[in-house]
Amino acid sequence: MAAAQGGSVVSSSGKVDFLKLQNGSDIRGVAVAGVEDEPVNLTEPVTEAIAAAFAAWLLNKKEADGLRRLRISVGHDSRISAHKLQNAVTHGITAAGHDILQFGLASTPAMFNSTLTEDEKNHLPVDGGIMITASHLPYNRNGLKFFTSDGGLNKADIKDILERASKIFEESAHDNQKEREDASRGVVTNVDYMSIYASDLVQAVRKSAGGKEEPLDGLHIVVDAGNGAGGFFVDKVLKPLGAVTTGSQFLEPDGLFPNHIPNPEDKTAMKAITQAVLDNKADLGIIFDTDVDRSAAVDSSGRELNRNRLIALMAAIVLEEHPGTTVVTDSVTSDGLTVFIENKLGGKHHRFKRGYKNVIDEAIRLNSIGEESHLAMETSGHGALKENHWLDDGAYLMVKLLNKLAAARTLGSSIGSKVLTDLVDSLEEAAVTVEIRLKIDQNHADLKGGSFRDYGEAVLRHLENAIAKDSDLHKAPKNYEGVRVSGYGGWFLLRLSLHDPVLPLNIEAQSKDDAIKLGLAVLAAVSEFSALDVTALSKFVQQ
């Protein structure tokens, strides 16, 4: 570890709309110039102000006096703007008189973990953590996620921090430079935290295998990190556990993502890890998103374990450990998953709103009112467990799968991923699954100057009324987002996007004809809304 003095001040000019940087419970913006019509708004001075605002928010949350010196960790994924923003965060924190631990390349879950790890030698735990990432967004974007020992911040916290940052940014233009130079600077310390974090994952697998040093000995597991931050999983987790990892790919960080988008929902990404499994005759394939808070897997036959299948697999594992528990998911999960969780596993399926934080917060809420829930998971690959502090950690999810493999290996069961795929063999899956995005033209006269959100809500209300008059269609009795309807042996869900002027339509059915019938029902109901672009839906029903 090396220690150094840090300190720079926010130098600002011009107005910045900080609130436009909010993206739910994250901050995201354009950090690299060069893409047409995407001006840089996440600059270094802006980032310094946001970091200083987080420190001020943290002091206020901890109800500490202004003299308290905080310790804050910062890490980043592989984006090309990562280092300049890490330096900006460091300057913002240290100029405010607080200490910072620089982790360098890290995963989002590790940043949360650094608020919990007891390690005095490495100055842990920290009071708060900052992750510099924009998940799977294009190379020119970046952002920040914040953590305390209570978990990730919520939307209201982010708004508070951005409002504070705006004031800090404005005031910095009028600050007395001499006063700032005389101010107490925080200390910067470099810490190899990813080794500490990975060691905990290794110990978790060894513990599940009865203390065996190399419980994955002989198992061939390939990893695709998509040139994000997940490459550590090979050398720091799988190899110490005895796994063979030849054929693992795209482990080197590269913020231009030259091979494929690091996103378990992306078809090209899933094809890449599937091909790697088949080419190397591997027992299991693992793929991470850029900052490792999401993941998916592929079995030895090339069958994808993602989306509904991964939720089903995690539900099967968790319900073995906690019989009868409630599994919280987002709104677009399949009816087959409900049947699997409730009828096959004896659990309870609680379908909630999209957004990983919504799903996690709902599971926490259920526990607070006496309904036991141990798993909260989105179809995107975000999955959080009660046992892991409700952190959506893609690496920890994969460790739960490795625990299963290690335990089976210890018992002398057959090598390979069969122990996993057997768990989800009875999951009923739709033959046809589609998502069609219906865009709202915000400049259309039909909006009458109103917001796209109001317009979208009007579309949903009209659809709900139309469904009530159709005897072939039945609205879901419990639904927390949009309009979910079953009929023709399948279902559809039309909902309003969390952030964009879009109404995503999900349809699942056992045949193309049935899917088209569901699509036609939606098209008939929404066709009078002229600001809604139904081109893609019209094309689908004409197939």
Side-chain angles (χ1 to χ4, degrees):
M1 293 189 301
Q5 291 297 313
S8 163
V9 298
V10 177
S11 56
S12 63
S13 60
K15 293 285 287 181
V16 176
D17 189 346
F18 275 79
L19 291 179
K20 281 193 174 175
L21 293 168
Q22 179 159 8
N23 184 275
S25 53
D26 302 339
I27 286 170
R28 286 183 181 172
V30 178
V32 176
V35 176
E36 195 175 349
D37 297 325
E38 293 194 11
V40 173
N41 58 359
L42 192 61
T43 62
E44 288 160 271
V46 164
T47 304
E48 285 188 37
I50 292 170
F54 174 59
W57 175 89
L58 200 53
L59 271 179
N60 186 63
K61 180 181 172 61
K62 291 180 177 290
E63 296 178 346
D65 59 56
L67 300 175
R68 165 129 188 240
R69 200 174 172 111
L70 295 171
R71 204 160 44 215
I72 295 171
S73 59
V74 60
H76 58 78
D77 67 17
S78 60
R79 292 175 178 277
I80 60 175
S81 55
H83 289 288
K84 74 174 184 180
L85 293 191
Q86 178 180 256
N87 289 339
V89 166
T90 299
H91 294 155
I93 298 293
T94 54
H98 304 294
D99 297 337
I100 200 145
L101 304 188
Q102 284 193 351
F103 292 169
L105 188 70
S107 71
T108 292
M111 299 313 300
F112 168 62
N113 261 72
S114 69
T115 68
L116 303 173
T117 302
E118 299 282 348
D119 186 338
E120 196 174 329
K121 178 186 165 191
N122 286 298
H123 312 286
L124 298 164
V126 291
D127 296 296
I130 300 175
M131 178 65 180
I132 299 167
T133 182
S135 189
H136 61 279
L137 291 182
Y139 77 94
N140 66 321
R141 308 294 183 87
N142 217 326
L144 299 102
K145 294 183 177 183
F146 305 93
F147 299 95
T148 69
S149 56
D150 294 329
L153 273 56
N154 60 37
K155 291 178 186 177
D157 298 328
I158 298 300
K159 186 170 184 281
D160 185 352
I161 287 168
L162 286 171
E163 286 170 347
R164 290 170 185 264
S166 183
K167 289 177 186 171
I168 291 169
F169 188 83
E170 290 295 319
E171 289 165 4
S172 67
H174 313 292
D175 268 357
N176 184 306
Q177 186 70 23
K178 182 73 174 67
E179 280 181 21
R180 276 193 169 272
E181 285 171 0
D182 290 344
S184 172
R185 292 287 190 259
V187 175
V188 183
T189 308
N190 297 317
V191 176
D192 177 18
Y193 184 72
M194 288 308 292
S195 292
I196 299 169
Y197 165 78
S199 176
D200 289 342
L201 298 180
V202 169
Q203 293 308 318
V205 180
R206 286 176 178 157
K207 184 180 178 183
S208 76
K212 193 174 179 184
E213 186 75 7
E214 295 189 342
L216 302 181
D217 182 35
L219 279 169
H220 191 167
I221 302 173
V222 295
V223 172
D224 184 327
N227 301 110
F232 77 94
F233 203 77
V234 171
D235 287 333
K236 294 184 185 292
V237 178
L238 292 177
K239 286 183 179 177
L241 292 169
V244 176
T245 60
T246 52
S248 292
Q249 59 193 18
F250 317 140
L251 305 180
E252 288 300 313
D254 185 337
L256 293 176
F257 311 121
N259 295 292
H260 61 70
I261 297 169
N263 180 4
E265 285 192 289
D266 182 66
K267 288 180 181 177
T268 305
M270 289 309 297
K271 187 176 179 183
I273 182 60
T274 300
Q275 199 59 51
V277 168
L278 297 174
D279 289 348
N280 292 280
K281 296 182 172 58
D283 296 302
L284 188 72
I286 291 172
I287 184 168
F288 295 114
D289 79 337
T290 319
D291 59 328
V292 203
D293 59 1
R294 295 188 295 141
S295 57
V298 174
D299 74 8
S300 57
S301 71
R303 184 187 188 198
E304 294 178 3
L305 297 169
N306 62 351
R307 299 184 64 80
N308 284 288
R309 276 187 207 155
L310 185 58
I311 298 174
L313 180 53
M314 288 305 303
I317 291 170
V318 169
L319 276 156
E320 276 185 3
E321 300 166 350
H322 306 282
T325 197
T326 294
V327 176
V328 181
T329 73
D330 61 342
S331 60
V332 300
T333 47
S334 69
D335 287 350
L337 182 66
T338 304
V339 171
F340 181 76
I341 290 171
E342 299 193 342
N343 297 357
K344 305 285 184 185
L345 301 178
K348 184 178 175 186
H349 184 195
H350 183 88
R351 194 183 278 119
F352 197 59
K353 299 174 185 175
R354 284 219 85 172
Y356 72 94
K357 199 80 172 75
N358 289 331
V359 173
I360 291 169
D361 287 348
E362 180 68 358
I364 293 169
R365 186 190 71 81
L366 290 178
N367 280 288
S368 74
I369 61 169
E371 182 174 338
E372 184 191 73
S373 176
H374 284 270
L375 174 65
M377 198 156 179
E378 255 205 324
T379 46
S380 64
H382 281 287
L385 293 120
K386 186 179 181 182
E387 70 187 53
N388 194 38
H389 311 281
W390 289 118
L391 172 66
D392 52 318
D393 185 343
Y396 193 84
L397 280 193
M398 292 301 105
V399 160
K400 292 294 282 186
L401 304 193
L402 297 182
N403 288 349
K404 252 328 201 189
L405 293 175
R409 190 106 170 84
T410 301
L411 293 170
S413 301
S414 59
I415 300 174
S417 54
K418 192 172 185 298
V419 65
L420 300 177
T421 47
D422 282 354
L423 288 173
V424 293
D425 263 353
S426 57
L427 174 67
E428 298 168 10
E429 298 188 80
V432 180
T433 303
V434 293
E435 180 170 291
I436 300 165
R437 295 170 69 79
L438 311 180
K439 294 181 181 177
I440 300 170
D441 180 356
Q442 297 183 81
N443 298 316
H444 197 284
D446 204 30
L447 266 71
K448 300 182 177 71
S451 71
F452 79 81
R453 189 157 293 282
D454 289 341
Y455 193 81
E457 295 290 355
V459 172
L460 294 175
R461 283 194 300 273
H462 186 77
L463 174 63
E464 200 168 349
N465 292 334
I467 295 310
K469 299 169 187 171
D470 190 331
S471 60
D472 291 321
L473 300 173
H474 309 282
K475 190 184 169 211
K478 274 191 179 178
N479 193 53
Y480 294 92
E481 182 173 41
V483 179
R484 188 181 179 106
V485 172
S486 59
Y488 305 110
W491 60 273
F492 72 75
L493 171 70
L494 186 68
R495 62 185 178 84
L496 185 58
S497 169
L498 296 174
H499 309 295
D500 304 314
V502 173
L503 286 160
L505 172 65
N506 293 84
I507 300 175
E508 286 195 8
Q510 292 307 322
S511 72
K512 193 64 173 281
D513 285 347
D514 287 338
I516 287 171
K517 287 175 186 173
L518 291 167
L520 283 167
V522 177
L523 186 60
V526 304
S527 57
E528 65 184 70
F529 289 86
S530 51
L532 198 62
D533 183 356
V534 296
T535 308
L537 179 56
S538 298
K539 188 177 176 182
F540 173 73
V541 300
Q542 288 165 14
Q543 290 179 354

